[in-house]
Amino acid sequence: MKLVAIGDIHGRDIWKQIVETEQPNTVVFVGDYFDSFDIPGKTQIDNFKNIIQWKHDNPQCKVVMLIGNHDFHYMNVCNEYYSGFQKDLYIPIGEVLETNKHHLRMAYRCDDLVFSHAGITPEFLLKNGWGDQGIVEFINDLWYYQPHKFKFADNGYGHSDPYGDDEFQGPLWIRPKSLMKACQEVKKTMIQVVGHTAVKEIDAKGKATGGRYYFIDCLDYTPEYLVYENKQIKINKL
């Protein structure tokens, strides 16, 4: 089994080269399909549709499409608008997301790797009623039944950092510093793979203990991506 995880694409079609090169069994997109400073809106929409079409055309490969904050603010449940929001494309992007909502999820797990757009903390889980259910199952059920819980403003404490660097932020917004601080006591075998916060190259924190966090939002700087094969994680580059 070979899994490939690709960082925030923001309209880029580099994913095509990655899947062609790697021929994976599973592809995980960590969200943010939209909002770009240099790629036209129509191209962003077409690229999102192309991912859906590729998923349909390649049933032998599992395609996991997570949601990012730059997708979420075009959805009817959000009513919040973040940096990069394309007001003139609110309707067409919103429509293509709504049509394909069944393809989207908030989190995914493969062995000890847990994928989300920005990261999952105990504070967010417990605040929203998590009990004995698996973390990923709980997060995805919460998205299905109470999607407003993932809004930036809905942290329930009224003191959120404007950048999202707050331990109580959810999987669409929390930043690396707060994520790692909030998860200090989390079981060491849980490895989180996230995008959201731009890095110049894929960054693995906690290397001395096997790597507990991989920050993969690097496509603004370098064409790197994460590969998980034979229980091993490696970073490849086009």
Side-chain angles (χ1 to χ4, degrees):
M1 188 278 290
K2 178 192 282 191
L3 177 151
V4 168
I6 302 172
D8 310 24
I9 59 174
H10 292 290
R12 303 179 185 89
D13 64 1
I14 191 172
W15 62 271
K16 297 178 181 179
Q17 296 172 259
I18 294 172
V19 296
E20 179 65 27
T21 298
E22 296 292 342
Q23 296 293 306
N25 304 105
T26 302
V27 180
V28 180
F29 293 91
V30 295
D32 278 4
Y33 308 96
F34 300 100
D35 294 344
S36 169
F37 293 109
D38 55 7
I39 298 175
K42 183 180 183 304
T43 302
Q44 296 172 43
I45 294 172
D46 289 343
N47 189 51
F48 180 78
K49 290 179 177 179
N50 287 340
I51 294 174
I52 302 292
Q53 188 61 52
W54 193 88
K55 179 179 179 180
H56 282 305
D57 293 344
N58 294 273
Q60 77 282 1
C61 182
K62 183 174 186 177
V63 179
V64 178
M65 301 179 68
L66 303 183
I67 303 159
N69 58 302
H70 285 278
D71 315 310
F72 185 60
H73 64 178
Y74 293 102
M75 296 180 168
N76 292 332
V77 298
C78 182
N79 298 318
E80 295 180 338
Y81 310 107
Y82 317 130
S83 64
F85 179 72
Q86 302 165 97
K87 185 178 180 179
D88 58 329
L89 294 172
Y90 173 67
I91 292 177
I93 292 179
E95 287 178 346
V96 75
L97 283 166
E98 186 62 30
T99 299
N100 293 286
K101 189 177 179 180
H102 58 290
H103 290 291
L104 303 173
R105 65 178 87 179
M106 195 60 66
Y108 176 71
R109 183 165 197 149
C110 178
D111 295 337
D112 291 333
L113 277 66
V114 175
F115 302 84
S116 66
H117 181 62
I120 302 168
T121 68
E123 283 81 354
F124 180 83
L125 293 169
L126 295 172
K127 178 189 69 177
N128 288 290
W130 177 56
D132 296 330
Q133 190 177 12
I135 290 173
V136 166
E137 291 79 9
F138 174 79
I139 289 289
N140 286 328
D141 281 351
L142 191 67
W143 159 247
Y144 185 80
Y145 293 108
Q146 300 184 73
H148 64 280
K149 293 290 187 179
F150 297 92
K151 293 171 66 173
F152 179 85
D154 192 18
N155 71 351
Y157 292 86
H159 56 70
S160 185
D161 178 89
Y163 186 61
D165 203 357
D166 186 311
E167 293 175 46
F168 298 100
Q169 277 290 354
L172 294 181
W173 270 108
I174 193 165
R175 299 293 178 175
K177 180 180 177 181
S178 293
L179 175 65
M180 292 186 288
K181 182 178 179 181
C183 294
Q184 291 182 70
E185 303 303 320
V186 173
K187 187 178 179 182
K188 296 294 189 292
T189 56
M190 177 175 165
I191 299 170
Q192 297 208 50
V193 182
V194 304
H196 184 51
T197 300
V199 292
K200 291 187 176 180
E201 58 185 9
I202 291 182
D203 191 10
K205 297 293 185 183
K207 294 176 184 175
T209 57
R212 293 183 60 201
Y213 308 92
Y214 285 82
F215 302 104
I216 67 171
D217 180 15
C218 65
L219 295 180
D220 276 338
Y221 300 97
T222 184
E224 290 186 341
Y225 50 93
L226 182 145
V227 176
Y228 179 64
E229 187 175 19
N230 298 323
K231 306 290 185 179
Q232 298 294 318
I233 298 172
K234 58 183 178 180
I235 307 304
N236 285 358
K237 182 177 180 180
L238 287 178

